[in-house]
Amino acid sequence: MSASKIPREVAAIIAALQLREADLTPLIQLEDHEWKSLLAFCDLAHLTLPLAQLPQNDFPSWVVERLKINIADNALRFERVKATYKEAAEALDRAGVEHVVIKGFTQAPDYVEDPRLRAQSDLDLYCPVEMIESARSALQEIGYTPNNQQSYAYADHDHTMVRVGDWRWRGNSFDPEMPLSIELHFCLWNDFVSYFHIAGIDGFWNRRTTRSIEGFTFASLSPVDHLGYLALHILRNIFLRDTILHHVYELAGFLHRRADDDIFWKTWTETHDASLRACEAIAFYYAQAWFGCNLNPWVKSAIEDLSPLQQQWLRRFAISPLEGMVHMNKDFLWLQLSFLRSTKAKLQLLKRTLIPTHLAGINTSLVQLTSERAMQSRKLHPYLRYIVYLASRSASHSRSSMAVVVGGLRWRLSEHQLVRQFWVFLAASFFLTWACLSTSFSSIFF
C-alpha cells in the first residue's frame, strides 16, 4: 500500500497491525516526538487499545506506561458502559420501545476479543423511525436532553442525547468517569444522504436476535446482518469523509478469523442479495488492502463481481480515506457517483461535495482552533477569527475540489476510456470552477 501522503508514524502502526506478516520494526524506530504524534492519532482513530495489545518490549517506557493506564481506565469504563446501557434499556422497555444495540460493545467477541479492549464514548441504539419520539421522551425522563449545538444534516440518528453533569474533559479519552451520550438511530442506511437505496436492509430488523455479554442481555442484529451493517457503515463514512480506520481493522479481524467458515459465508450469500453484497464488498476490499487479512472465496467473489469502474476506483484510490485523516480529499466522489443512476442525484451530490453548505457558528471551538492554527494567535477578535475560518475553509475546499477533478481525470484517462470520459470530466471541470468561485465568494461575503 502506497503511503506517500501518510506520516511515518501512521504507516508504522498500520504495518504493525497487519494480520499476516505484521512488522513492528517501523514502530520501534520512531523518535519520541513521533510517538507523541502517533498516540494523539491513535486516540483520534480509536487505535490506542489495539496498539496496547502489540508486543511492547522495545517501546519507550513512557509509552508502555501510558498504554497500561489506558487499558486499566477502559476496563473500568466498561462498567460505566454497562450501567448506562442497563438504565437506558429499562427506560425504553417501560415506554414500550423496541431497539437493537449497534456498534460499541456488540463488536465483542467477533470483531474485538473483549469489550474492555474497545473504546466507547456513546451508545448507539436503532429504533424503527416511528418509535424515535417515544424513545427520546423515555430518555428525557431519566435526565437526558437533546444536544442542539451541532448539525445533524447528514446524521443517521436523532439529536444526540446527553446528561448534564459536572464532569469536565481532562485530556483522557478513556476516563472511567466520562459520561456516555446516547444516539437514537432511525435508519441503518440513509437514502437521503447517500442518494441511493440499498434493497434488503429492512430485513435486518426482522432478523434481530438477543445476545448476552457478561451477565447483561441486549437485542442485536443477527451475525450476518451485524457484518452487513458494519460494512455499510464503512461505506457511509467513506462518502461522508468520516473516520473508518478502526472499523476497517475490526472488519479485517473478523474476515481473517472467518476465512475458512464456509457455512457462515453461504448463509451470508443466501441472506443478502447481490446488490447488498456489492456494497459490502467495498468495505471487504479495504479490510484486505489495509490490513492484509485472509478472505473466504465467497468474499473474494463478491469483490470480483464489483463493476469494472468500482474496481478501477479501488485500485487507484484505496488509500484516499486514510490520507484524508491527514489532508482532506474528496476522492470518494467518483465512487459514490458510480452507485447513482439519476442525473438529479448526481448533480445534487456534485453540488454538496464541491460547495460546502454547512459553516460552524462564530463562537464554536472549530472556528477558534482553525484561527489558532492559521495565525498562531489566541488574541484575535471573534469576528476576525471567523473571517480566518471562512478563508481557511474556502481555500481548503477549493484545493480539494480541484484535486478530485484532476485526480479523477488522470484516473479515467489512464484506464483508456478517453473520448467519452474526456467530455464528462471537461464538463465537471467547468462546473468545478464555478463551484469553487461560488464557494469562495459566498463563504466570505455571505
Side-chain angles (χ1 to χ4, degrees):
M1 171 170 73
S2 172
S4 58
K5 297 182 181 179
I6 299 174
R8 191 168 84 111
E9 61 271 20
V10 176
I13 183 62
I14 292 179
L17 292 175
Q18 293 295 299
L19 295 168
R20 297 192 313 254
E21 301 180 5
D23 184 5
L24 271 69
T25 302
L27 203 58
I28 63 179
Q29 291 177 342
L30 296 178
E31 303 290 339
D32 274 6
H33 73 277
E34 292 173 311
W35 271 109
K36 291 177 182 178
S37 176
L38 176 61
L39 290 172
F41 174 85
C42 285
D43 285 347
L44 178 67
H46 304 291
L47 286 182
T48 302
L49 300 179
L51 171 63
Q53 296 170 65
L54 295 174
Q56 300 176 21
N57 298 340
D58 296 309
F59 288 9
S61 59
W62 65 271
V63 173
V64 174
E65 184 61 25
R66 204 266 212 184
L67 296 176
K68 181 180 178 180
I69 292 172
N70 293 157
I71 288 286
D73 282 349
N74 204 64
L76 293 174
R77 180 160 177 75
F78 181 58
E79 299 306 313
R80 177 174 287 270
V81 171
K82 289 192 292 185
T84 301
Y85 172 69
K86 288 179 181 178
E87 181 189 26
E90 289 172 359
L92 295 177
D93 287 343
R94 288 194 298 270
V97 175
E98 295 185 277
H99 70 277
V100 295
V101 188
I102 52 179
K103 300 186 287 185
F105 58 78
T106 70
Q107 296 295 90
D110 286 341
Y111 298 84
V112 294
E113 182 180 350
D114 188 304
R116 294 172 182 80
L117 298 176
R118 189 183 197 277
Q120 184 163 354
S121 60
D122 60 15
L123 292 174
D124 293 278
L125 310 178
Y126 167 76
C127 307
V129 65
E130 63 272 14
M131 295 185 180
I132 290 292
E133 185 174 351
S134 297
R136 187 192 315 122
S137 297
L139 294 178
Q140 287 176 313
E141 288 182 3
I142 59 173
Y144 287 86
T145 58
N147 177 6
N148 298 315
Q149 302 303 310
Q150 62 188 73
S151 171
Y152 295 89
Y154 302 138
D156 300 339
H157 55 80
D158 196 36
H159 288 207
T160 301
M161 305 295 290
V162 296
R163 181 178 273 163
V164 178
D166 58 4
W167 177 86
R168 294 292 181 270
W169 170 252
R170 295 185 289 270
N172 181 6
S173 300
F174 308 95
D175 186 348
E177 300 302 319
M178 180 168 55
L180 283 85
S181 58
I182 300 178
E183 294 182 345
L184 298 170
H185 290 249
F186 53 79
C187 66
L188 297 174
W189 177 261
N190 196 324
D191 295 7
F192 176 78
V193 171
S194 64
Y195 298 116
F196 67 95
H197 177 71
I198 301 177
I201 297 178
D202 293 342
F204 287 18
W205 174 254
N206 297 328
R207 291 188 292 267
R208 65 191 183 280
T209 186
T210 300
R211 292 176 51 199
S212 295
I213 293 180
E214 300 192 3
F216 76 100
T217 301
F218 56 94
S220 174
L221 298 174
S222 72
V224 165
D225 295 333
H226 187 122
L227 168 70
Y229 175 72
L230 176 59
L232 294 180
H233 187 65
I234 290 170
L235 184 61
R236 168 205 179 273
N237 283 6
I238 291 172
F239 293 162
L240 294 180
R241 300 199 305 274
D242 204 347
T243 179
I244 65 171
L245 187 53
H246 68 295
H247 294 306
V248 174
Y249 179 64
E250 292 176 356
L251 174 62
F254 178 86
L255 296 175
H256 192 72
R257 289 186 290 272
R258 292 291 188 106
D260 297 324
D261 190 349
D262 290 334
I263 294 176
F264 175 86
W265 293 109
K266 185 175 186 296
T267 301
W268 174 69
T269 59
E270 293 172 346
T271 305
H272 293 178
D273 67 20
S275 61
L276 176 53
R277 296 198 304 273
C279 294
E280 296 170 80
I282 301 290
F284 298 164
Y285 182 97
Y286 276 99
Q288 203 283 326
W290 287 8
F291 295 105
C293 58
N294 290 329
L295 299 178
N296 184 272
W298 290 100
V299 176
K300 293 180 181 179
S301 178
I303 295 173
E304 292 167 356
D305 287 342
L306 289 170
S307 72
L309 184 65
Q310 290 168 347
Q311 292 190 44
Q312 293 161 7
W313 186 92
L314 287 168
R315 287 194 295 269
R316 173 65 178 81
F317 295 108
I319 198 70
S320 288
L322 189 55
E323 293 176 340
M325 295 185 69
V326 183
H327 304 287
M328 184 177 73
N329 66 65
K330 301 180 181 182
D331 294 333
F332 73 90
L333 174 63
W334 309 117
L335 176 65
Q336 190 168 355
L337 284 171
S338 74
F339 284 96
L340 306 185
R341 299 293 175 264
S342 162
T343 299
K344 179 181 179 181
K346 292 178 180 179
L347 291 175
Q348 288 175 328
L349 176 61
L350 284 168
K351 179 182 178 182
R352 188 182 81 187
T353 303
L354 302 178
I355 307 175
T357 56
H358 291 86
L359 299 174
I362 190 169
N363 293 316
T364 59
S365 58
L366 177 60
V367 171
Q368 181 175 343
L369 181 61
T370 302
S371 172
E372 290 172 1
R373 287 176 174 173
M375 306 299 292
Q376 298 296 311
S377 172
R378 298 174 180 267
K379 299 180 181 180
L380 290 179
H381 187 279
Y383 288 111
L384 290 177
R385 281 206 314 255
Y386 200 61
I387 291 174
V388 172
Y389 160 74
L390 293 175
S392 175
R393 180 174 169 83
S394 174
S396 177
H397 275 275
S398 297
R399 285 194 301 268
S400 59
S401 294
M402 184 63 69
V404 72
V405 168
V406 172
L409 179 58
R410 291 172 58 189
W411 158 53
R412 295 309 290 142
L413 293 180
S414 70
E415 297 294 338
H416 307 295
Q417 300 186 17
L418 301 181
V419 178
R420 177 171 173 268
Q421 294 302 323
F422 174 79
W423 291 109
V424 170
F425 278 91
L426 184 62
S429 297
F430 279 117
F431 181 87
L432 172 64
T433 301
W434 168 80
C436 291
L437 290 174
S438 299
T439 297
S440 300
F441 285 109
S442 63
S443 294
I444 295 175
F445 296 108
F446 299 96

